[in-house]
Amino acid sequence: NKKKRNPEGDKTMDTVKRAEELAHERGMSLHRLCLESGLGCSTLKAAKNRGRQLRVETIECICVALDITLAEFFKEEGS
């Protein structure tokens, strides 16, 4: 059951990419982020490889590791 995407109208944030960006801004590798957040690296890698979004619970763990809020995680650049 695949969801159809509208590339021109899709405003969905890529949560895996966002986690990577935030980690990189803090000088952290994806592996280090996994260790700091208590997540298995397979969680992020599987989501990335399959083009899936992260669960809210996973994002919350990432936010704790990055010392940011959920609002900061989802904040778009320039807003």
Side-chain angles (χ1 to χ4, degrees):
N1 187 359
K2 291 186 179 183
K3 293 181 182 177
K4 292 184 180 180
R5 293 185 181 241
N6 177 359
E8 293 178 21
D10 189 4
K11 301 293 184 195
T12 304
M13 175 184 283
D14 182 336
T15 55
V16 177
K17 183 177 178 182
R18 179 67 173 153
E20 289 178 315
E21 289 170 354
L22 291 167
H24 180 74
E25 287 173 9
R26 288 157 179 77
M28 295 173 77
S29 66
L30 193 58
H31 179 74
R32 186 73 190 166
L33 177 60
C34 291
L35 293 174
E36 295 288 329
S37 63
L39 299 170
C41 285
S42 61
T43 300
L44 295 181
K45 288 180 182 178
K48 181 177 181 176
N49 292 338
R50 294 180 181 142
R52 301 242 170 104
Q53 296 295 338
L54 298 174
R55 295 173 49 135
V56 173
E57 295 85 356
T58 302
I59 296 169
E60 288 173 334
C61 291
I62 290 168
C63 288
V64 170
L66 296 174
D67 194 29
I68 62 172
T69 64
L70 276 174
E72 289 170 315
F73 182 92
F74 287 106
K75 183 177 179 184
E76 299 280 343
E77 282 189 33
S79 58

Tab-separated table of all heavy atoms in Angstrom, residues 4-66:
chain	number	residue	atom	x	y	z
A	4	LYS	N	0.889	7.793	-2.787
A	4	LYS	CA	1.308	8.582	-3.937
A	4	LYS	C	1.786	9.924	-3.430
A	4	LYS	O	1.202	10.518	-2.536
A	4	LYS	CB	0.154	8.754	-4.923
A	4	LYS	CG	-0.230	7.457	-5.585
A	4	LYS	CD	-1.290	7.687	-6.616
A	4	LYS	CE	-1.653	6.366	-7.273
A	4	LYS	NZ	-2.684	6.512	-8.284
A	5	ARG	N	2.850	10.412	-4.039
A	5	ARG	CA	3.401	11.698	-3.635
A	5	ARG	C	3.220	12.714	-4.745
A	5	ARG	O	3.307	12.386	-5.906
A	5	ARG	CB	4.885	11.573	-3.308
A	5	ARG	CG	5.137	10.739	-2.089
A	5	ARG	CD	6.606	10.762	-1.754
A	5	ARG	NE	6.829	9.934	-0.609
A	5	ARG	CZ	7.324	10.384	0.527
A	5	ARG	NH1	7.653	11.623	0.653
A	5	ARG	NH2	7.495	9.578	1.532
A	6	ASN	N	2.972	13.913	-4.350
A	6	ASN	CA	2.886	15.022	-5.275
A	6	ASN	C	4.137	15.856	-5.069
A	6	ASN	O	4.195	16.672	-4.159
A	6	ASN	CB	1.622	15.845	-4.996
A	6	ASN	CG	1.515	17.053	-5.894
A	6	ASN	OD1	2.381	17.311	-6.714
A	6	ASN	ND2	0.443	17.806	-5.730
A	7	PRO	N	5.169	15.680	-5.903
A	7	PRO	CA	6.440	16.363	-5.676
A	7	PRO	C	6.334	17.884	-5.655
A	7	PRO	O	7.080	18.543	-4.970
A	7	PRO	CB	7.333	15.896	-6.823
A	7	PRO	CG	6.523	15.020	-7.679
A	7	PRO	CD	5.169	14.861	-7.090
A	8	GLU	N	5.393	18.441	-6.408
A	8	GLU	CA	5.270	19.896	-6.445
A	8	GLU	C	4.533	20.435	-5.231
A	8	GLU	O	4.802	21.525	-4.772
A	8	GLU	CB	4.561	20.322	-7.732
A	8	GLU	CG	5.395	20.029	-8.960
A	8	GLU	CD	4.665	20.412	-10.229
A	8	GLU	OE1	3.736	21.239	-10.162
A	8	GLU	OE2	5.037	19.878	-11.279
A	9	GLY	N	3.593	19.665	-4.697
A	9	GLY	CA	2.795	20.150	-3.587
A	9	GLY	C	3.152	19.525	-2.253
A	9	GLY	O	2.553	19.844	-1.246
A	10	ASP	N	4.124	18.617	-2.233
A	10	ASP	CA	4.477	17.912	-1.004
A	10	ASP	C	5.329	18.799	-0.108
A	10	ASP	O	6.441	19.156	-0.452
A	10	ASP	CB	5.232	16.626	-1.332
A	10	ASP	CG	5.449	15.737	-0.118
A	10	ASP	OD1	4.950	16.074	0.965
A	10	ASP	OD2	6.110	14.704	-0.271
A	11	LYS	N	4.777	19.166	1.038
A	11	LYS	CA	5.488	20.024	1.994
A	11	LYS	C	5.978	19.218	3.191
A	11	LYS	O	6.320	19.774	4.215
A	11	LYS	CB	4.575	21.160	2.472
A	11	LYS	CG	4.071	22.057	1.362
A	11	LYS	CD	5.193	22.836	0.736
A	11	LYS	CE	4.622	23.783	-0.305
A	11	LYS	NZ	5.589	24.316	-1.198
A	12	THR	N	5.993	17.890	3.067
A	12	THR	CA	6.406	17.027	4.155
A	12	THR	C	7.910	17.128	4.368
A	12	THR	O	8.690	17.016	3.431
A	12	THR	CB	6.031	15.565	3.853
A	12	THR	OG1	4.631	15.496	3.607
A	12	THR	CG2	6.397	14.657	5.006
A	13	MET	N	8.297	17.328	5.616
A	13	MET	CA	9.715	17.391	5.950
A	13	MET	C	10.306	15.990	5.940
A	13	MET	O	9.692	15.053	6.430
A	13	MET	CB	9.897	18.015	7.331
A	13	MET	CG	11.336	18.014	7.827
A	13	MET	SD	11.504	18.662	9.497
A	13	MET	CE	11.375	20.405	9.181
A	14	ASP	N	11.481	15.847	5.400
A	14	ASP	CA	12.227	14.588	5.455
A	14	ASP	C	12.877	14.537	6.835
A	14	ASP	O	13.895	15.191	7.078
A	14	ASP	CB	13.264	14.542	4.345
A	14	ASP	CG	14.043	13.244	4.295
A	14	ASP	OD1	14.139	12.559	5.336
A	14	ASP	OD2	14.574	12.924	3.228
A	15	THR	N	12.285	13.783	7.744
A	15	THR	CA	12.743	13.793	9.135
A	15	THR	C	14.118	13.162	9.313
A	15	THR	O	14.879	13.574	10.189
A	15	THR	CB	11.724	13.103	10.056
A	15	THR	OG1	11.451	11.780	9.570
A	15	THR	CG2	10.431	13.905	10.136
A	16	VAL	N	14.453	12.186	8.484
A	16	VAL	CA	15.789	11.577	8.579
A	16	VAL	C	16.838	12.595	8.145
A	16	VAL	O	17.856	12.794	8.825
A	16	VAL	CB	15.893	10.294	7.735
A	16	VAL	CG1	17.301	9.727	7.794
A	16	VAL	CG2	14.877	9.258	8.192
A	17	LYS	N	16.575	13.256	7.036
A	17	LYS	CA	17.510	14.280	6.540
A	17	LYS	C	17.655	15.405	7.559
A	17	LYS	O	18.749	15.897	7.806
A	17	LYS	CB	17.012	14.830	5.202
A	17	LYS	CG	17.933	15.838	4.580
A	17	LYS	CD	17.423	16.280	3.224
A	17	LYS	CE	18.327	17.337	2.632
A	17	LYS	NZ	17.830	17.826	1.346
A	18	ARG	N	16.544	15.791	8.174
A	18	ARG	CA	16.582	16.857	9.180
A	18	ARG	C	17.428	16.439	10.377
A	18	ARG	O	18.229	17.228	10.890
A	18	ARG	CB	15.158	17.206	9.622
A	18	ARG	CG	15.074	18.275	10.678
A	18	ARG	CD	15.529	19.619	10.169
A	18	ARG	NE	15.264	20.635	11.189
A	18	ARG	CZ	15.956	21.739	11.311
A	18	ARG	NH1	16.927	22.030	10.471
A	18	ARG	NH2	15.665	22.607	12.263
A	19	ALA	N	17.286	15.204	10.833
A	19	ALA	CA	18.089	14.706	11.944
A	19	ALA	C	19.572	14.735	11.578
A	19	ALA	O	20.410	15.144	12.390
A	19	ALA	CB	17.661	13.298	12.328
A	20	GLU	N	19.880	14.325	10.358
A	20	GLU	CA	21.273	14.354	9.896
A	20	GLU	C	21.811	15.774	9.859
A	20	GLU	O	22.949	16.028	10.274
A	20	GLU	CB	21.387	13.723	8.513
A	20	GLU	CG	21.206	12.226	8.505
A	20	GLU	CD	21.285	11.636	7.110
A	20	GLU	OE1	20.670	12.191	6.173
A	20	GLU	OE2	21.984	10.623	6.952
A	21	GLU	N	21.014	16.707	9.353
A	21	GLU	CA	21.438	18.108	9.280
A	21	GLU	C	21.729	18.674	10.663
A	21	GLU	O	22.752	19.325	10.881
A	21	GLU	CB	20.354	18.959	8.615
A	21	GLU	CG	20.186	18.711	7.136
A	21	GLU	CD	18.937	19.390	6.567
A	21	GLU	OE1	18.129	19.956	7.342
A	21	GLU	OE2	18.770	19.326	5.340
A	22	LEU	N	20.812	18.432	11.590
A	22	LEU	CA	20.979	18.953	12.951
A	22	LEU	C	22.197	18.338	13.637
A	22	LEU	O	22.931	19.028	14.351
A	22	LEU	CB	19.712	18.708	13.766
A	22	LEU	CG	18.499	19.543	13.343
A	22	LEU	CD1	17.228	18.998	13.990
A	22	LEU	CD2	18.697	21.007	13.697
A	23	ALA	N	22.405	17.047	13.426
A	23	ALA	CA	23.579	16.389	14.004
A	23	ALA	C	24.852	16.981	13.409
A	23	ALA	O	25.806	17.293	14.141
A	23	ALA	CB	23.519	14.886	13.751
A	24	HIS	N	24.858	17.149	12.096
A	24	HIS	CA	26.037	17.699	11.407
A	24	HIS	C	26.359	19.109	11.913
A	24	HIS	O	27.534	19.443	12.129
A	24	HIS	CB	25.797	17.713	9.897
A	24	HIS	CG	26.948	18.267	9.124
A	24	HIS	ND1	28.118	17.558	8.933
A	24	HIS	CD2	27.123	19.460	8.507
A	24	HIS	CE1	28.956	18.304	8.241
A	24	HIS	NE2	28.380	19.455	7.963
A	25	GLU	N	25.317	19.926	12.123
A	25	GLU	CA	25.518	21.284	12.648
A	25	GLU	C	26.219	21.266	14.001
A	25	GLU	O	26.892	22.216	14.373
A	25	GLU	CB	24.175	22.003	12.802
A	25	GLU	CG	23.541	22.421	11.504
A	25	GLU	CD	22.133	22.980	11.693
A	25	GLU	OE1	21.714	23.200	12.863
A	25	GLU	OE2	21.450	23.182	10.679
A	26	ARG	N	26.056	20.169	14.730
A	26	ARG	CA	26.654	20.039	16.059
A	26	ARG	C	27.924	19.197	16.043
A	26	ARG	O	28.430	18.797	17.079
A	26	ARG	CB	25.615	19.445	17.018
A	26	ARG	CG	24.520	20.447	17.348
A	26	ARG	CD	23.248	19.778	17.792
A	26	ARG	NE	22.213	20.751	18.117
A	26	ARG	CZ	21.475	21.418	17.219
A	26	ARG	NH1	21.647	21.204	15.922
A	26	ARG	NH2	20.567	22.300	17.594
A	27	GLY	N	28.412	18.898	14.842
A	27	GLY	CA	29.646	18.130	14.705
A	27	GLY	C	29.487	16.664	15.047
A	27	GLY	O	30.454	16.002	15.434
A	28	MET	N	28.251	16.144	14.926
A	28	MET	CA	27.984	14.746	15.261
A	28	MET	C	27.754	13.935	13.991
A	28	MET	O	27.078	14.394	13.078
A	28	MET	CB	26.723	14.627	16.130
A	28	MET	CG	26.830	15.251	17.492
A	28	MET	SD	25.228	15.227	18.358
A	28	MET	CE	25.176	13.520	18.881
A	29	SER	N	28.279	12.736	13.975
A	29	SER	CA	27.978	11.805	12.888
A	29	SER	C	26.628	11.154	13.170
A	29	SER	O	26.104	11.231	14.290
A	29	SER	CB	29.051	10.723	12.799
A	29	SER	OG	29.016	9.910	13.968
A	30	LEU	N	26.070	10.502	12.178
A	30	LEU	CA	24.820	9.775	12.362
A	30	LEU	C	25.015	8.672	13.405
A	30	LEU	O	24.150	8.443	14.254
A	30	LEU	CB	24.345	9.195	11.030
A	30	LEU	CG	22.929	8.663	10.975
A	30	LEU	CD1	21.925	9.741	11.347
A	30	LEU	CD2	22.617	8.116	9.597
A	31	HIS	N	26.170	8.026	13.358
A	31	HIS	CA	26.477	6.976	14.336
A	31	HIS	C	26.491	7.549	15.755
A	31	HIS	O	25.926	6.969	16.682
A	31	HIS	CB	27.820	6.330	13.997
A	31	HIS	CG	28.220	5.267	14.968
A	31	HIS	ND1	27.624	4.030	15.001
A	31	HIS	CD2	29.150	5.261	15.959
A	31	HIS	CE1	28.170	3.308	15.967
A	31	HIS	NE2	29.101	4.038	16.556
A	32	ARG	N	27.129	8.689	15.921
A	32	ARG	CA	27.201	9.325	17.248
A	32	ARG	C	25.815	9.730	17.729
A	32	ARG	O	25.482	9.583	18.913
A	32	ARG	CB	28.130	10.542	17.200
A	32	ARG	CG	28.372	11.162	18.538
A	32	ARG	CD	29.276	10.298	19.338
A	32	ARG	NE	29.337	10.763	20.705
A	32	ARG	CZ	29.838	10.063	21.683
A	32	ARG	NH1	30.348	8.876	21.442
A	32	ARG	NH2	29.878	10.525	22.886
A	33	LEU	N	24.999	10.237	16.812
A	33	LEU	CA	23.634	10.607	17.163
A	33	LEU	C	22.861	9.394	17.672
A	33	LEU	O	22.134	9.488	18.661
A	33	LEU	CB	22.920	11.232	15.958
A	33	LEU	CG	21.461	11.611	16.166
A	33	LEU	CD1	21.305	12.630	17.293
A	33	LEU	CD2	20.869	12.144	14.871
A	34	CYS	N	23.050	8.273	17.011
A	34	CYS	CA	22.382	7.038	17.457
A	34	CYS	C	22.816	6.666	18.871
A	34	CYS	O	21.982	6.330	19.714
A	34	CYS	CB	22.697	5.886	16.505
A	34	CYS	SG	21.953	6.067	14.885
A	35	LEU	N	24.107	6.733	19.125
A	35	LEU	CA	24.628	6.398	20.452
A	35	LEU	C	24.084	7.347	21.516
A	35	LEU	O	23.648	6.915	22.585
A	35	LEU	CB	26.155	6.435	20.457
A	35	LEU	CG	26.875	5.375	19.630
A	35	LEU	CD1	28.377	5.638	19.624
A	35	LEU	CD2	26.583	3.986	20.168
A	36	GLU	N	24.109	8.636	21.219
A	36	GLU	CA	23.672	9.647	22.187
A	36	GLU	C	22.165	9.578	22.457
A	36	GLU	O	21.711	9.898	23.547
A	36	GLU	CB	24.032	11.055	21.697
A	36	GLU	CG	25.518	11.324	21.605
A	36	GLU	CD	26.187	11.476	22.953
A	36	GLU	OE1	25.546	11.943	23.906
A	36	GLU	OE2	27.374	11.110	23.062
A	37	SER	N	21.399	9.179	21.451
A	37	SER	CA	19.944	9.153	21.588
A	37	SER	C	19.414	7.815	22.088
A	37	SER	O	18.234	7.688	22.395
A	37	SER	CB	19.282	9.491	20.251
A	37	SER	OG	19.607	8.522	19.283
A	38	GLY	N	20.296	6.821	22.140
A	38	GLY	CA	19.871	5.502	22.590
A	38	GLY	C	19.149	4.699	21.518
A	38	GLY	O	18.519	3.688	21.821
A	39	LEU	N	19.238	5.145	20.284
A	39	LEU	CA	18.590	4.446	19.171
A	39	LEU	C	19.574	3.506	18.502
A	39	LEU	O	20.775	3.781	18.479
A	39	LEU	CB	18.103	5.452	18.123
A	39	LEU	CG	17.074	6.471	18.584
A	39	LEU	CD1	16.888	7.542	17.520
A	39	LEU	CD2	15.762	5.781	18.893
A	40	GLY	N	19.060	2.454	17.943
A	40	GLY	CA	19.907	1.586	17.140
A	40	GLY	C	20.169	2.270	15.805
A	40	GLY	O	19.277	2.905	15.247
A	41	CYS	N	21.382	2.188	15.326
A	41	CYS	CA	21.699	2.811	14.038
A	41	CYS	C	20.826	2.250	12.922
A	41	CYS	O	20.522	2.947	11.959
A	41	CYS	CB	23.175	2.624	13.701
A	41	CYS	SG	24.236	3.708	14.663
A	42	SER	N	20.395	1.013	13.079
A	42	SER	CA	19.544	0.410	12.056
A	42	SER	C	18.212	1.147	11.931
A	42	SER	O	17.617	1.180	10.860
A	42	SER	CB	19.298	-1.064	12.369
A	42	SER	OG	18.643	-1.197	13.616
A	43	THR	N	17.750	1.783	13.003
A	43	THR	CA	16.491	2.529	12.966
A	43	THR	C	16.576	3.667	11.958
A	43	THR	O	15.712	3.818	11.093
A	43	THR	CB	16.157	3.101	14.364
A	43	THR	OG1	16.046	2.027	15.285
A	43	THR	CG2	14.881	3.919	14.353
A	44	LEU	N	17.621	4.475	12.065
A	44	LEU	CA	17.773	5.613	11.163
A	44	LEU	C	18.160	5.167	9.754
A	44	LEU	O	17.650	5.699	8.775
A	44	LEU	CB	18.804	6.601	11.709
A	44	LEU	CG	18.445	7.289	13.025
A	44	LEU	CD1	19.535	8.252	13.443
A	44	LEU	CD2	17.121	8.014	12.907
A	45	LYS	N	19.050	4.192	9.672
A	45	LYS	CA	19.481	3.727	8.354
A	45	LYS	C	18.337	3.091	7.580
A	45	LYS	O	18.191	3.316	6.379
A	45	LYS	CB	20.651	2.753	8.490
A	45	LYS	CG	21.933	3.434	8.900
A	45	LYS	CD	23.063	2.445	9.027
A	45	LYS	CE	24.323	3.142	9.499
A	45	LYS	NZ	25.431	2.221	9.690
A	46	ALA	N	17.506	2.316	8.260
A	46	ALA	CA	16.374	1.669	7.593
A	46	ALA	C	15.386	2.712	7.097
A	46	ALA	O	14.892	2.623	5.960
A	46	ALA	CB	15.688	0.684	8.532
A	47	ALA	N	15.094	3.708	7.918
A	47	ALA	CA	14.172	4.770	7.501
A	47	ALA	C	14.745	5.526	6.303
A	47	ALA	O	14.028	5.822	5.344
A	47	ALA	CB	13.908	5.720	8.665
A	48	LYS	N	16.033	5.806	6.352
A	48	LYS	CA	16.684	6.533	5.255
A	48	LYS	C	16.652	5.708	3.968
A	48	LYS	O	16.278	6.202	2.908
A	48	LYS	CB	18.127	6.863	5.638
A	48	LYS	CG	18.869	7.635	4.595
A	48	LYS	CD	20.264	7.986	5.080
A	48	LYS	CE	21.016	8.787	4.039
A	48	LYS	NZ	22.323	9.209	4.516
A	49	ASN	N	17.028	4.450	4.061
A	49	ASN	CA	17.090	3.592	2.876
A	49	ASN	C	15.724	3.312	2.265
A	49	ASN	O	15.610	3.084	1.069
A	49	ASN	CB	17.793	2.279	3.199
A	49	ASN	CG	19.263	2.474	3.492
A	49	ASN	OD1	19.874	3.460	3.098
A	49	ASN	ND2	19.845	1.537	4.220
A	50	ARG	N	14.704	3.311	3.099
A	50	ARG	CA	13.350	3.007	2.608
A	50	ARG	C	12.548	4.257	2.294
A	50	ARG	O	11.384	4.160	1.897
A	50	ARG	CB	12.609	2.160	3.639
A	50	ARG	CG	13.229	0.794	3.804
A	50	ARG	CD	12.493	-0.024	4.834
A	50	ARG	NE	13.153	-1.319	4.961
A	50	ARG	CZ	13.307	-1.958	6.100
A	50	ARG	NH1	12.838	-1.449	7.225
A	50	ARG	NH2	13.920	-3.123	6.140
A	51	GLY	N	13.136	5.428	2.529
A	51	GLY	CA	12.427	6.677	2.267
A	51	GLY	C	11.267	6.921	3.203
A	51	GLY	O	10.277	7.537	2.837
A	52	ARG	N	11.402	6.450	4.423
A	52	ARG	CA	10.322	6.575	5.419
A	52	ARG	C	10.600	7.740	6.367
A	52	ARG	O	11.730	8.201	6.511
A	52	ARG	CB	10.220	5.288	6.230
A	52	ARG	CG	9.935	4.089	5.372
A	52	ARG	CD	8.622	3.466	5.745
A	52	ARG	NE	8.210	2.458	4.791
A	52	ARG	CZ	8.286	1.161	5.007
A	52	ARG	NH1	8.786	0.715	6.136
A	52	ARG	NH2	7.859	0.317	4.093
A	53	GLN	N	9.544	8.151	7.030
A	53	GLN	CA	9.666	9.192	8.046
A	53	GLN	C	9.915	8.540	9.406
A	53	GLN	O	9.544	7.390	9.632
A	53	GLN	CB	8.374	10.026	8.110
A	53	GLN	CG	8.076	10.783	6.840
A	53	GLN	CD	9.110	11.851	6.528
A	53	GLN	OE1	9.828	12.332	7.393
A	53	GLN	NE2	9.192	12.211	5.262
A	54	LEU	N	10.528	9.297	10.300
A	54	LEU	CA	10.767	8.807	11.652
A	54	LEU	C	9.506	8.959	12.492
A	54	LEU	O	8.717	9.884	12.283
A	54	LEU	CB	11.905	9.592	12.307
A	54	LEU	CG	13.263	9.489	11.617
A	54	LEU	CD1	14.250	10.435	12.293
A	54	LEU	CD2	13.781	8.074	11.624
A	55	ARG	N	9.337	8.056	13.440
A	55	ARG	CA	8.212	8.139	14.378
A	55	ARG	C	8.463	9.277	15.364
A	55	ARG	O	9.611	9.637	15.640
A	55	ARG	CB	8.069	6.830	15.131
A	55	ARG	CG	7.695	5.661	14.246
A	55	ARG	CD	7.739	4.376	15.006
A	55	ARG	NE	7.011	4.533	16.262
A	55	ARG	CZ	6.156	3.659	16.749
A	55	ARG	NH1	5.942	2.536	16.121
A	55	ARG	NH2	5.538	3.867	17.881
A	56	VAL	N	7.398	9.814	15.925
A	56	VAL	CA	7.520	10.913	16.885
A	56	VAL	C	8.388	10.493	18.069
A	56	VAL	O	9.230	11.264	18.539
A	56	VAL	CB	6.128	11.392	17.362
A	56	VAL	CG1	6.253	12.405	18.491
A	56	VAL	CG2	5.351	11.981	16.206
A	57	GLU	N	8.214	9.270	18.537
A	57	GLU	CA	9.008	8.782	19.674
A	57	GLU	C	10.502	8.789	19.344
A	57	GLU	O	11.333	9.113	20.187
A	57	GLU	CB	8.572	7.369	20.074
A	57	GLU	CG	7.162	7.282	20.599
A	57	GLU	CD	6.095	7.141	19.502
A	57	GLU	OE1	6.432	7.190	18.295
A	57	GLU	OE2	4.916	7.003	19.855
A	58	THR	N	10.832	8.443	18.112
A	58	THR	CA	12.232	8.440	17.667
A	58	THR	C	12.758	9.867	17.601
A	58	THR	O	13.874	10.152	18.049
A	58	THR	CB	12.357	7.753	16.293
A	58	THR	OG1	11.848	6.420	16.400
A	58	THR	CG2	13.793	7.721	15.808
A	59	ILE	N	11.954	10.769	17.063
A	59	ILE	CA	12.359	12.176	16.970
A	59	ILE	C	12.551	12.766	18.360
A	59	ILE	O	13.495	13.534	18.585
A	59	ILE	CB	11.328	12.981	16.154
A	59	ILE	CG1	11.302	12.474	14.708
A	59	ILE	CG2	11.639	14.476	16.198
A	59	ILE	CD1	10.162	13.005	13.870
A	60	GLU	N	11.707	12.377	19.305
A	60	GLU	CA	11.864	12.860	20.681
A	60	GLU	C	13.206	12.430	21.267
A	60	GLU	O	13.881	13.218	21.937
A	60	GLU	CB	10.719	12.377	21.561
A	60	GLU	CG	9.407	13.077	21.274
A	60	GLU	CD	8.230	12.492	22.032
A	60	GLU	OE1	8.260	11.292	22.395
A	60	GLU	OE2	7.253	13.233	22.238
A	61	CYS	N	13.618	11.191	21.019
A	61	CYS	CA	14.924	10.708	21.492
A	61	CYS	C	16.054	11.507	20.851
A	61	CYS	O	17.040	11.853	21.511
A	61	CYS	CB	15.095	9.226	21.154
A	61	CYS	SG	14.014	8.129	22.084
A	62	ILE	N	15.908	11.806	19.581
A	62	ILE	CA	16.914	12.593	18.867
A	62	ILE	C	16.985	14.002	19.445
A	62	ILE	O	18.078	14.548	19.648
A	62	ILE	CB	16.596	12.616	17.352
A	62	ILE	CG1	16.851	11.224	16.760
A	62	ILE	CG2	17.397	13.689	16.629
A	62	ILE	CD1	16.323	11.032	15.352
A	63	CYS	N	15.829	14.586	19.731
A	63	CYS	CA	15.796	15.930	20.308
A	63	CYS	C	16.502	15.990	21.652
A	63	CYS	O	17.233	16.945	21.935
A	63	CYS	CB	14.352	16.412	20.439
A	63	CYS	SG	13.572	16.828	18.869
A	64	VAL	N	16.302	14.979	22.473
A	64	VAL	CA	16.986	14.934	23.772
A	64	VAL	C	18.500	14.887	23.558
A	64	VAL	O	19.256	15.618	24.197
A	64	VAL	CB	16.505	13.729	24.617
A	64	VAL	CG1	17.374	13.537	25.844
A	64	VAL	CG2	15.049	13.918	25.020
A	65	ALA	N	18.948	14.047	22.635
A	65	ALA	CA	20.385	13.915	22.362
A	65	ALA	C	20.971	15.218	21.813
A	65	ALA	O	22.126	15.547	22.096
A	65	ALA	CB	20.629	12.777	21.382
A	66	LEU	N	20.179	15.959	21.036
A	66	LEU	CA	20.658	17.204	20.434
A	66	LEU	C	20.379	18.421	21.318
A	66	LEU	O	20.761	19.537	20.980
A	66	LEU	CB	19.998	17.412	19.065
A	66	LEU	CG	20.328	16.373	17.994
A	66	LEU	CD1	19.494	16.626	16.748
A	66	LEU	CD2	21.809	16.375	17.667
